[in-house]
Short mmCIF file of all heavy atoms in Angstrom, two decimals:
data_model
loop_
_atom_site.label_atom_id
_atom_site.label_comp_id
_atom_site.label_asym_id
_atom_site.label_seq_id
_atom_site.Cartn_x
_atom_site.Cartn_y
_atom_site.Cartn_z
N THR A 215 -23.06 63.69 9.81
CA THR A 215 -24.08 64.63 10.29
C THR A 215 -23.63 66.09 10.21
O THR A 215 -24.35 66.92 9.64
CB THR A 215 -24.51 64.29 11.73
OG1 THR A 215 -25.07 62.97 11.75
CG2 THR A 215 -25.56 65.27 12.23
N PRO A 216 -22.46 66.47 10.76
CA PRO A 216 -22.08 67.89 10.69
C PRO A 216 -21.83 68.39 9.28
O PRO A 216 -22.23 69.51 8.93
CB PRO A 216 -20.82 67.97 11.56
CG PRO A 216 -20.31 66.58 11.64
CD PRO A 216 -21.51 65.70 11.57
N THR A 217 -21.20 67.59 8.43
CA THR A 217 -20.90 68.06 7.07
C THR A 217 -22.15 68.10 6.21
O THR A 217 -22.31 69.01 5.39
CB THR A 217 -19.83 67.16 6.41
OG1 THR A 217 -20.25 65.79 6.46
CG2 THR A 217 -18.49 67.30 7.11
N GLU A 218 -23.05 67.13 6.38
CA GLU A 218 -24.32 67.16 5.65
C GLU A 218 -25.18 68.32 6.10
O GLU A 218 -25.87 68.94 5.31
CB GLU A 218 -25.08 65.85 5.85
CG GLU A 218 -24.55 64.69 5.03
CD GLU A 218 -24.94 64.79 3.56
OE1 GLU A 218 -26.08 65.20 3.28
OE2 GLU A 218 -24.11 64.49 2.71
N ARG A 219 -25.15 68.63 7.39
CA ARG A 219 -25.91 69.75 7.94
C ARG A 219 -25.43 71.06 7.30
O ARG A 219 -26.24 71.90 6.87
CB ARG A 219 -25.72 69.79 9.45
CG ARG A 219 -26.09 71.10 10.14
CD ARG A 219 -27.58 71.39 10.03
NE ARG A 219 -27.95 72.44 10.98
CZ ARG A 219 -28.91 73.32 10.77
NH1 ARG A 219 -29.60 73.30 9.65
NH2 ARG A 219 -29.20 74.23 11.68
N ILE A 220 -24.12 71.24 7.20
CA ILE A 220 -23.57 72.47 6.61
C ILE A 220 -23.91 72.55 5.12
O ILE A 220 -24.35 73.59 4.62
CB ILE A 220 -22.04 72.50 6.80
CG1 ILE A 220 -21.70 72.57 8.29
CG2 ILE A 220 -21.43 73.70 6.07
CD1 ILE A 220 -20.25 72.27 8.61
N LYS A 221 -23.73 71.45 4.41
CA LYS A 221 -24.03 71.43 2.97
C LYS A 221 -25.49 71.73 2.70
O LYS A 221 -25.83 72.57 1.85
CB LYS A 221 -23.68 70.06 2.39
CG LYS A 221 -24.02 69.89 0.91
CD LYS A 221 -24.51 68.48 0.60
CE LYS A 221 -25.87 68.20 1.19
NZ LYS A 221 -26.39 66.86 0.86
N THR A 222 -26.38 71.09 3.44
CA THR A 222 -27.82 71.28 3.24
C THR A 222 -28.24 72.70 3.59
O THR A 222 -29.03 73.32 2.88
CB THR A 222 -28.62 70.27 4.08
OG1 THR A 222 -28.20 68.94 3.76
CG2 THR A 222 -30.11 70.40 3.81
N ALA A 223 -27.69 73.22 4.70
CA ALA A 223 -28.02 74.59 5.11
C ALA A 223 -27.55 75.60 4.06
O ALA A 223 -28.25 76.58 3.76
CB ALA A 223 -27.37 74.90 6.46
N LEU A 224 -26.39 75.37 3.46
CA LEU A 224 -25.87 76.27 2.42
C LEU A 224 -26.77 76.27 1.19
O LEU A 224 -27.07 77.31 0.61
CB LEU A 224 -24.45 75.86 2.03
CG LEU A 224 -23.33 76.31 2.97
CD1 LEU A 224 -22.05 75.54 2.68
CD2 LEU A 224 -23.08 77.81 2.84
N ILE A 225 -27.19 75.08 0.77
CA ILE A 225 -28.06 74.98 -0.40
C ILE A 225 -29.42 75.61 -0.12
O ILE A 225 -29.96 76.36 -0.94
CB ILE A 225 -28.24 73.50 -0.82
CG1 ILE A 225 -26.91 72.94 -1.34
CG2 ILE A 225 -29.31 73.36 -1.90
CD1 ILE A 225 -26.94 71.46 -1.67
N ASP A 226 -29.97 75.34 1.06
CA ASP A 226 -31.27 75.90 1.43
C ASP A 226 -31.19 77.42 1.54
O ASP A 226 -32.08 78.15 1.10
CB ASP A 226 -31.73 75.29 2.76
CG ASP A 226 -33.20 75.58 3.05
OD1 ASP A 226 -33.97 75.72 2.09
OD2 ASP A 226 -33.56 75.65 4.24
N ASP A 227 -30.11 77.92 2.13
CA ASP A 227 -29.91 79.36 2.29
C ASP A 227 -29.78 80.05 0.93
O ASP A 227 -30.25 81.18 0.75
CB ASP A 227 -28.65 79.62 3.12
CG ASP A 227 -28.36 81.09 3.29
OD1 ASP A 227 -29.09 81.76 4.04
OD2 ASP A 227 -27.40 81.58 2.65
N GLY A 228 -29.17 79.37 -0.03
CA GLY A 228 -28.98 79.95 -1.37
C GLY A 228 -30.29 80.17 -2.10
O GLY A 228 -30.36 80.97 -3.04
N LYS A 229 -31.36 79.48 -1.67
CA LYS A 229 -32.66 79.62 -2.32
C LYS A 229 -33.46 80.78 -1.73
O LYS A 229 -34.51 81.14 -2.25
CB LYS A 229 -33.47 78.33 -2.14
CG LYS A 229 -32.85 77.11 -2.81
CD LYS A 229 -33.52 75.83 -2.38
CE LYS A 229 -34.98 75.79 -2.78
NZ LYS A 229 -35.65 74.54 -2.37
N GLY A 230 -32.96 81.36 -0.60
CA GLY A 230 -33.74 82.40 0.07
C GLY A 230 -32.91 83.59 0.51
O GLY A 230 -32.45 84.40 -0.29
N ALA A 231 -32.68 83.66 1.83
CA ALA A 231 -32.06 84.85 2.42
C ALA A 231 -30.60 85.06 2.02
O ALA A 231 -30.12 86.19 1.99
CB ALA A 231 -32.16 84.76 3.95
N LYS A 232 -29.88 84.01 1.77
CA LYS A 232 -28.47 84.06 1.43
C LYS A 232 -27.65 84.77 2.51
O LYS A 232 -26.89 85.69 2.25
CB LYS A 232 -28.25 84.73 0.07
CG LYS A 232 -28.88 83.97 -1.09
CD LYS A 232 -28.54 84.59 -2.43
CE LYS A 232 -29.17 83.78 -3.55
NZ LYS A 232 -28.89 84.36 -4.89
N ARG A 233 -27.82 84.28 3.73
CA ARG A 233 -27.04 84.84 4.84
C ARG A 233 -25.62 84.31 4.85
O ARG A 233 -24.71 84.98 5.34
CB ARG A 233 -27.70 84.45 6.17
CG ARG A 233 -29.08 85.05 6.40
CD ARG A 233 -29.51 84.80 7.85
NE ARG A 233 -29.47 83.38 8.19
CZ ARG A 233 -29.22 82.89 9.40
NH1 ARG A 233 -28.97 83.73 10.39
NH2 ARG A 233 -29.24 81.60 9.63
N PHE A 234 -25.44 83.11 4.32
CA PHE A 234 -24.13 82.47 4.38
C PHE A 234 -23.26 82.87 3.19
O PHE A 234 -23.63 82.67 2.03
CB PHE A 234 -24.28 80.95 4.42
CG PHE A 234 -25.17 80.45 5.53
CD1 PHE A 234 -25.98 79.34 5.34
CD2 PHE A 234 -25.21 81.09 6.76
CE1 PHE A 234 -26.80 78.86 6.35
CE2 PHE A 234 -26.03 80.63 7.79
CZ PHE A 234 -26.82 79.51 7.58
N GLN A 235 -22.08 83.41 3.46
CA GLN A 235 -21.19 83.85 2.40
C GLN A 235 -20.23 82.75 1.95
O GLN A 235 -19.73 82.77 0.83
CB GLN A 235 -20.38 85.07 2.88
CG GLN A 235 -21.25 86.27 3.26
CD GLN A 235 -20.45 87.39 3.88
OE1 GLN A 235 -19.22 87.34 3.92
NE2 GLN A 235 -21.14 88.41 4.36
N SER A 236 -19.96 81.81 2.82
CA SER A 236 -19.05 80.71 2.52
C SER A 236 -19.27 79.61 3.54
O SER A 236 -20.05 79.78 4.50
CB SER A 236 -17.59 81.19 2.59
OG SER A 236 -17.27 81.61 3.91
N THR A 237 -18.57 78.50 3.35
CA THR A 237 -18.71 77.39 4.30
C THR A 237 -18.26 77.79 5.71
O THR A 237 -19.00 77.56 6.67
CB THR A 237 -17.91 76.16 3.81
OG1 THR A 237 -18.45 75.71 2.56
CG2 THR A 237 -18.00 75.02 4.82
N PRO A 238 -17.07 78.40 5.88
CA PRO A 238 -16.66 78.82 7.23
C PRO A 238 -17.64 79.82 7.85
O PRO A 238 -17.91 79.78 9.05
CB PRO A 238 -15.28 79.46 7.00
CG PRO A 238 -14.77 78.80 5.76
CD PRO A 238 -15.98 78.63 4.91
N HIS A 239 -18.16 80.73 7.01
CA HIS A 239 -19.11 81.72 7.50
C HIS A 239 -20.38 81.04 7.99
O HIS A 239 -20.95 81.41 9.04
CB HIS A 239 -19.44 82.73 6.39
CG HIS A 239 -20.31 83.86 6.83
ND1 HIS A 239 -21.60 84.05 6.35
CD2 HIS A 239 -20.09 84.86 7.73
CE1 HIS A 239 -22.13 85.12 6.92
NE2 HIS A 239 -21.24 85.64 7.76
N ALA A 240 -20.86 80.05 7.24
CA ALA A 240 -22.06 79.31 7.64
C ALA A 240 -21.83 78.58 8.95
O ALA A 240 -22.70 78.58 9.84
CB ALA A 240 -22.45 78.32 6.54
N VAL A 241 -20.67 77.95 9.09
CA VAL A 241 -20.34 77.23 10.33
C VAL A 241 -20.36 78.19 11.51
O VAL A 241 -20.92 77.89 12.58
CB VAL A 241 -18.96 76.55 10.22
CG1 VAL A 241 -18.55 75.96 11.57
CG2 VAL A 241 -18.99 75.45 9.17
N GLY A 242 -19.76 79.38 11.31
CA GLY A 242 -19.71 80.37 12.38
C GLY A 242 -21.11 80.81 12.82
O GLY A 242 -21.39 80.92 14.02
N ILE A 243 -21.98 81.08 11.86
CA ILE A 243 -23.35 81.53 12.18
C ILE A 243 -24.13 80.43 12.88
O ILE A 243 -24.83 80.67 13.87
CB ILE A 243 -24.09 81.97 10.90
CG1 ILE A 243 -23.48 83.27 10.37
CG2 ILE A 243 -25.58 82.15 11.17
CD1 ILE A 243 -24.13 83.79 9.11
N LEU A 244 -24.03 79.20 12.37
CA LEU A 244 -24.77 78.09 12.97
C LEU A 244 -24.34 77.85 14.41
O LEU A 244 -25.18 77.62 15.30
CB LEU A 244 -24.58 76.81 12.15
CG LEU A 244 -25.25 76.78 10.77
CD1 LEU A 244 -24.84 75.54 10.00
CD2 LEU A 244 -26.78 76.84 10.91
N ILE A 245 -23.03 77.91 14.66
CA ILE A 245 -22.53 77.70 16.02
C ILE A 245 -22.94 78.86 16.93
O ILE A 245 -23.33 78.65 18.08
CB ILE A 245 -21.00 77.54 16.02
CG1 ILE A 245 -20.62 76.22 15.33
CG2 ILE A 245 -20.45 77.56 17.45
CD1 ILE A 245 -19.12 75.99 15.22
N ARG A 246 -22.86 80.08 16.40
CA ARG A 246 -23.22 81.25 17.20
C ARG A 246 -24.70 81.25 17.58
O ARG A 246 -25.07 81.61 18.69
CB ARG A 246 -22.88 82.53 16.43
CG ARG A 246 -23.11 83.82 17.25
CD ARG A 246 -22.49 85.03 16.61
NE ARG A 246 -23.08 85.33 15.31
CZ ARG A 246 -22.45 85.17 14.15
NH1 ARG A 246 -21.21 84.68 14.14
NH2 ARG A 246 -23.03 85.48 13.01
N GLU A 247 -25.55 80.84 16.65
CA GLU A 247 -26.99 80.87 16.89
C GLU A 247 -27.51 79.62 17.59
O GLU A 247 -28.48 79.70 18.36
CB GLU A 247 -27.73 81.04 15.56
CG GLU A 247 -27.49 82.39 14.89
CD GLU A 247 -28.25 82.54 13.58
OE1 GLU A 247 -28.81 81.53 13.10
OE2 GLU A 247 -28.27 83.65 13.04
N GLN A 248 -26.89 78.47 17.32
CA GLN A 248 -27.45 77.22 17.83
C GLN A 248 -26.46 76.39 18.65
O GLN A 248 -26.81 75.34 19.17
CB GLN A 248 -27.97 76.37 16.67
CG GLN A 248 -28.99 77.09 15.80
CD GLN A 248 -29.36 76.29 14.55
OE1 GLN A 248 -29.18 75.09 14.49
NE2 GLN A 248 -29.90 76.98 13.56
N GLY A 249 -25.22 76.88 18.75
CA GLY A 249 -24.20 76.12 19.46
C GLY A 249 -23.69 74.95 18.63
O GLY A 249 -24.11 74.75 17.48
N ILE A 250 -22.79 74.17 19.21
CA ILE A 250 -22.25 73.00 18.51
C ILE A 250 -23.37 72.04 18.12
O ILE A 250 -23.33 71.37 17.09
CB ILE A 250 -21.22 72.25 19.39
CG1 ILE A 250 -19.99 73.14 19.62
CG2 ILE A 250 -20.80 70.94 18.72
CD1 ILE A 250 -19.21 73.46 18.37
N ALA A 251 -24.41 72.00 18.95
CA ALA A 251 -25.55 71.11 18.67
C ALA A 251 -26.19 71.45 17.33
O ALA A 251 -26.80 70.58 16.70
CB ALA A 251 -26.59 71.21 19.79
N GLY A 252 -26.04 72.72 16.88
CA GLY A 252 -26.61 73.12 15.60
C GLY A 252 -25.99 72.38 14.43
O GLY A 252 -26.64 72.20 13.39
N LEU A 253 -24.74 71.96 14.59
CA LEU A 253 -24.07 71.21 13.53
C LEU A 253 -24.50 69.75 13.52
O LEU A 253 -24.23 69.02 12.57
CB LEU A 253 -22.54 71.29 13.70
CG LEU A 253 -21.92 72.67 13.62
CD1 LEU A 253 -20.40 72.57 13.78
CD2 LEU A 253 -22.26 73.36 12.31
N TYR A 254 -25.16 69.34 14.61
CA TYR A 254 -25.62 67.96 14.71
C TYR A 254 -27.14 67.86 14.61
O TYR A 254 -27.73 66.88 15.02
CB TYR A 254 -25.13 67.31 16.01
CG TYR A 254 -23.73 66.78 15.88
CD1 TYR A 254 -22.63 67.60 16.08
CD2 TYR A 254 -23.49 65.46 15.50
CE1 TYR A 254 -21.34 67.13 15.93
CE2 TYR A 254 -22.21 64.96 15.35
CZ TYR A 254 -21.13 65.81 15.57
OH TYR A 254 -19.85 65.34 15.40
N ARG A 255 -27.75 68.91 14.01
CA ARG A 255 -29.20 68.87 13.77
C ARG A 255 -29.49 67.74 12.79
O ARG A 255 -28.87 67.63 11.74
CB ARG A 255 -29.65 70.20 13.18
CG ARG A 255 -31.14 70.34 12.94
CD ARG A 255 -31.92 70.37 14.24
NE ARG A 255 -31.59 71.54 15.05
CZ ARG A 255 -32.17 72.72 14.94
NH1 ARG A 255 -33.10 72.91 14.03
NH2 ARG A 255 -31.82 73.70 15.76
N GLY A 256 -30.43 66.89 13.13
CA GLY A 256 -30.77 65.77 12.27
C GLY A 256 -29.91 64.55 12.50
O GLY A 256 -29.82 63.66 11.64
N LEU A 257 -29.27 64.47 13.69
CA LEU A 257 -28.38 63.34 13.98
C LEU A 257 -29.11 62.00 13.91
O LEU A 257 -28.62 61.04 13.33
CB LEU A 257 -27.74 63.51 15.36
CG LEU A 257 -26.89 62.33 15.86
CD1 LEU A 257 -25.70 62.10 14.93
CD2 LEU A 257 -26.42 62.57 17.30
N VAL A 258 -30.31 61.95 14.51
CA VAL A 258 -31.06 60.68 14.54
C VAL A 258 -31.43 60.24 13.12
O VAL A 258 -31.19 59.09 12.72
CB VAL A 258 -32.33 60.81 15.40
CG1 VAL A 258 -33.17 59.54 15.30
CG2 VAL A 258 -31.97 61.08 16.85
N SER A 259 -32.02 61.16 12.34
CA SER A 259 -32.44 60.80 10.98
C SER A 259 -31.23 60.48 10.10
O SER A 259 -31.29 59.58 9.25
CB SER A 259 -33.26 61.94 10.36
OG SER A 259 -32.51 63.14 10.29
N THR A 260 -30.12 61.20 10.31
CA THR A 260 -28.92 60.94 9.52
C THR A 260 -28.32 59.59 9.86
O THR A 260 -27.88 58.85 8.97
CB THR A 260 -27.87 62.04 9.75
OG1 THR A 260 -28.43 63.31 9.42
CG2 THR A 260 -26.64 61.81 8.88
N THR A 261 -28.30 59.25 11.15
CA THR A 261 -27.74 57.96 11.57
C THR A 261 -28.58 56.80 11.03
O THR A 261 -28.05 55.78 10.58
CB THR A 261 -27.65 57.89 13.11
OG1 THR A 261 -26.83 58.96 13.59
CG2 THR A 261 -27.05 56.56 13.55
N ILE A 262 -29.91 56.97 11.08
CA ILE A 262 -30.79 55.94 10.52
C ILE A 262 -30.52 55.78 9.03
O ILE A 262 -30.39 54.66 8.51
CB ILE A 262 -32.27 56.31 10.75
CG1 ILE A 262 -32.61 56.28 12.24
CG2 ILE A 262 -33.19 55.36 9.98
CD1 ILE A 262 -33.99 56.80 12.57
N LYS A 263 -30.43 56.92 8.34
CA LYS A 263 -30.20 56.90 6.89
C LYS A 263 -28.84 56.28 6.56
O LYS A 263 -28.72 55.44 5.66
CB LYS A 263 -30.30 58.31 6.32
CG LYS A 263 -30.01 58.41 4.83
CD LYS A 263 -28.68 59.07 4.57
CE LYS A 263 -28.38 59.21 3.10
NZ LYS A 263 -27.10 59.91 2.83
#
Side-chain angles (χ1 to χ4, degrees):
T215 300
T217 54
E218 282 285 320
R219 163 65 166 148
I220 296 166
K221 177 217 69 178
T222 304
L224 280 165
I225 293 176
D226 193 29
D227 178 72
K229 297 168 63 180
K232 296 185 179 179
R233 295 190 304 150
F234 305 146
Q235 300 173 6
S236 63
T237 298
H239 185 246
V241 173
I243 290 180
L244 290 173
I245 292 178
R246 185 167 63 250
E247 294 180 350
Q248 304 173 21
I250 295 295
L253 298 182
Y254 277 85
R255 183 67 64 87
L257 175 62
V258 174
S259 60
T260 302
T261 301
I262 293 173
K263 177 252 181 178

